[in-house]
Amino acid sequence: MARRPLPRILSSGTMSLARGRDLARTAADSATDVLHPLLVIGRGLRILAAAGRRRWSQTPKDKRGPALFLGAACVLVVALVPYGPLLALITLMAAAAWHGRDRTPAKTGPSDAETERLGSLYEALVPYFSIPEDPNPLFAHGGDWDKAFSGYEFDEAGRITRLHIRYPAYFTDGEATSRARIESLLHAKSGRGREYLFDWDEEGNQLDLRVLAALPTGIAAQPFVTSPGETVLGFTDAGGVQRTLPVLEGDEPRDVPPVIWRTGPRSAEPHLLAVGQPGSGTSTLLRSVALQALRQGGDVLIVDGGGSGEYSCLSGRVGVLAVECGPTGAQATLEWAAQETERRLIATHRAREVGRPAPEDTRRPLWILLDQPSVLAHLAVAEGGPDPLAQLQVPLRHGRPAHVTVVVAEQFGHLELLNDAVWQHTRARVVLGPAAVQQVADVLGLPPHTTPTAQVPPGRGYARLGTGPVHRLQVPATPDPYDEAAHPAYRQAVLELLPERQPGPHRLLSAKSLRAPAALDAQPEVAAEAP
């Protein structure tokens, strides 16, 4: 038997049906809000009518006649009194509104299951928040949890979503190990699989625990509304920053709080280090940074130590000086970057000596992006060549006044191969992917105030800029546009942000950059062909 084709409204996709359901739901909610007084009065009239019918059925038959005569007499008197019908109608509507009001009892306290959960949590905290010498302990076995828990909230499943705890003043809340024990206990007792934020108030001896909502993962790479020198690393919680950015999540506009990294001569964190496991999203972060740098008119050098070809989409584009994948090309590229940094410093210094502004070519931002440079260092040492990472010392130490920014992405297993200059000058840090609390603390300098989740999406992690707080981070989706396994919409978004291709053969150093000042003619110049 042949199958009949579906109607066009069903075969054309679910987008129109979903939009229709949303419109119908919105219209129903609006109509309910407008007609709410009429609904209340109608419910009250129905209740009064049911009460009158019940009262009439309970009246004996020999008394129904006099009762009916008395009711008719009352109606006649009301009709003859001035404004009587109007007052009677108003009285009837008021009685109907009173009887038709919502009588759902308000919840005034926790249920039995919630009380039991709070009691068990209180008993679990007793060994940590009590000592035998305390004459009036706040936490004691069999004590009252109402004194310790001043606020609490539960979800529909009966699990804690927010808890405000008062603890004694002698608890060592200034020690990281003591706080970590309490956070681990609360994480286990309140329910795993969710991400909790712990806000310690050492001055008031209070701890606030709340469940954090998941960060948005559907925000793709797009032109962000930022000032020159600002780079969006990703998005975080609303309470962590005091700024929002208008973005598009799919086709819906929304305002989300970003993690902004500021670079340039006045930046306190001029360089960035991103660490993660394979597939955690460090390459995605570097692509996002490169696209934003190119959009702001900067020059970009990319060294792909992994050799995966994830940056081939940027090769030959306007503003991309080189995309190197081998140790020889990386050595030449980084050597040129070190000489370019020195040239910019000398040109700027001599221009200021004669009272002139710095040359324009020294103020153009130069971005050096390195993905897994330890692999290239290992290959160079194996071939008997110099370490390419040694050339990074000049851009890292003197890159800020020369408008040179270095971004290094490395895996956890190769961090010991990074030299001291990288660790000392990359004050902006990002950790992506699943990682232990100690690993995050070793890279960022502080442990996160949130618990890790069971499932970590790509691009999800933590960020810390200098000595600031640790923020949760979700990197915007910036996949390789040539990767067919990536989401088509995200790939198309990256393709739309790519600059145009350069006409003719592409060289590492343009003709403009080869023109040095007259006083710098003796400086060596390096020119290398890009692949």
Side-chain angles (χ1 to χ4, degrees):
M1 182 178 179
R3 297 179 60 185
R4 299 180 59 186
L6 292 173
R8 183 177 180 182
I9 189 173
L10 297 178
S11 60
S12 60
T14 59
M15 183 62 69
S16 59
L17 294 178
R19 187 178 295 108
R21 285 195 297 267
D22 294 340
L23 292 176
R25 190 180 298 108
T26 303
D29 295 339
S30 302
T32 302
D33 295 338
V34 173
L35 301 177
H36 180 69
L38 297 179
L39 296 177
V40 172
I41 293 175
R43 190 187 307 117
L45 291 176
R46 187 172 64 253
I47 294 175
L48 292 177
R53 190 183 306 109
R54 186 169 54 255
R55 185 68 178 272
W56 178 261
S57 62
Q58 294 176 357
T59 303
K61 293 183 179 181
D62 56 344
K63 295 183 180 181
R64 291 183 179 180
L68 185 61
F69 177 76
L70 180 61
C74 293
V75 171
L76 180 62
V77 171
V78 171
L80 296 178
V81 173
Y83 303 103
L86 180 59
L87 294 177
L89 180 61
I90 294 176
T91 304
L92 179 61
M93 294 296 103
W98 175 258
H99 287 84
R101 70 187 188 279
D102 188 9
R103 300 184 179 183
T104 303
K107 185 178 179 180
T108 58
S111 61
D112 296 339
E114 295 172 352
T115 302
E116 183 179 358
R117 182 179 290 271
L118 290 174
S120 63
L121 188 58
Y122 174 83
E123 293 291 336
L125 291 173
V126 169
Y128 301 92
F129 286 149
S130 64
I131 58 175
E133 296 80 7
D134 191 354
N136 187 17
L138 183 61
F139 284 82
H141 291 293
D144 190 3
W145 56 264
D146 290 338
K147 299 180 180 179
F149 300 155
S150 57
Y152 46 84
E153 295 178 7
F154 292 86
D155 58 6
E156 295 79 3
R159 297 192 301 175
I160 294 176
T161 58
R162 187 156 193 172
L163 183 64
H164 194 77
I165 304 174
R166 294 176 55 244
Y167 56 87
Y170 52 76
F171 176 71
T172 56
D173 52 3
E175 299 179 1
T177 55
S178 300
R179 293 198 304 266
R181 287 196 298 266
I182 299 299
E183 294 175 1
S184 178
L185 174 65
L186 293 175
H187 181 208
K189 294 295 183 180
S190 301
R192 298 186 183 274
R194 299 182 297 175
E195 197 163 4
Y196 297 90
L197 174 65
F198 299 96
D199 187 8
W200 291 86
D201 183 10
E202 292 87 351
E203 183 178 1
N205 299 321
Q206 296 179 358
L207 170 61
D208 188 67
L209 175 148
R210 58 188 177 95
V211 177
L212 295 175
L215 294 178
T217 59
I219 301 178
Q222 54 192 280
F224 298 115
V225 183
T226 56
S227 301
E230 293 184 344
T231 303
V232 178
L233 298 180
F235 306 99
T236 184
D237 301 299
V241 295
Q242 300 179 354
R243 178 177 176 180
T244 58
L245 282 182
V247 298
L248 289 177
E249 186 175 2
D251 295 332
E252 297 182 359
R254 54 179 302 189
D255 293 337
V256 293
V259 177
I260 299 293
W261 174 39
R262 294 175 176 85
T263 58
R266 293 179 175 85
S267 173
E269 302 85 19
H271 308 296
L272 175 70
L273 173 62
V275 183
Q277 302 287 355
S280 59
T282 54
S283 300
T284 297
L285 176 61
L286 260 64
R287 273 191 298 269
S288 177
V289 171
L291 292 177
Q292 296 180 61
L294 292 172
R295 182 174 178 82
Q296 295 181 2
D299 293 331
V300 177
L301 285 173
I302 300 177
V303 176
D304 185 9
S308 58
E310 294 187 358
Y311 305 95
S312 58
C313 60
L314 297 171
S315 180
R317 302 283 179 173
V318 175
V320 181
L321 302 182
V323 179
E324 296 291 345
C325 300
T328 304
Q331 176 69 25
T333 301
L334 296 180
E335 184 178 354
W336 174 86
Q339 296 180 1
E340 173 67 11
T341 304
E342 294 175 350
R343 186 194 69 82
R344 291 187 175 203
L345 290 175
I346 296 175
T348 303
H349 177 67
R350 294 186 176 179
R352 290 175 179 175
E353 282 183 344
V354 297
R356 296 180 180 179
E360 183 181 355
D361 59 345
T362 63
R363 289 178 288 157
R364 183 180 177 88
L366 175 61
W367 293 75
I368 306 174
L369 309 181
L370 299 96
D371 192 358
Q372 301 184 35
S374 60
V375 178
L376 292 178
H378 176 75
L379 294 177
V381 173
E383 295 177 359
D387 185 3
L389 294 180
Q391 302 295 333
L392 281 179
Q393 294 187 9
V394 175
L396 286 172
R397 293 177 178 177
H398 310 289
R400 180 172 60 178
H403 295 270
V404 178
T405 303
V406 179
V407 181
V408 180
E410 193 52 84
Q411 299 181 6
F412 276 107
H414 302 156
L415 291 180
E416 66 277 0
L417 300 178
L418 299 179
N419 52 29
D420 296 338
V422 176
W423 287 105
Q424 183 178 359
H425 297 283
T426 54
R427 293 172 48 84
R429 305 283 179 84
V430 173
V431 176
L432 299 179
V437 176
Q438 187 59 41
Q439 288 180 315
V440 178
D442 292 341
V443 176
L444 302 184
L446 282 179
H449 294 288
T450 60
T451 56
T453 57
Q455 297 180 355
V456 182
R460 174 69 174 82
Y462 301 95
R464 188 187 183 201
L465 303 179
T467 58
V470 178
H471 299 284
R472 288 203 308 166
L473 181 71
Q474 178 62 52
V475 179
T478 316
D480 181 7
Y482 302 152
D483 184 9
E484 298 181 354
H487 195 282
Y490 300 159
R491 294 167 54 192
Q492 183 61 32
V494 175
L495 288 174
E496 293 176 357
L497 293 177
L498 289 175
E500 298 180 355
R501 292 192 177 275
Q502 296 184 8
H506 173 61
R507 298 182 62 85
L508 174 63
L509 298 181
S510 61
K512 183 178 181 180
S513 63
L514 285 174
R515 290 198 301 267
L520 300 179
D521 291 337
Q523 295 294 328
E525 298 175 353
V526 179
E529 292 289 338

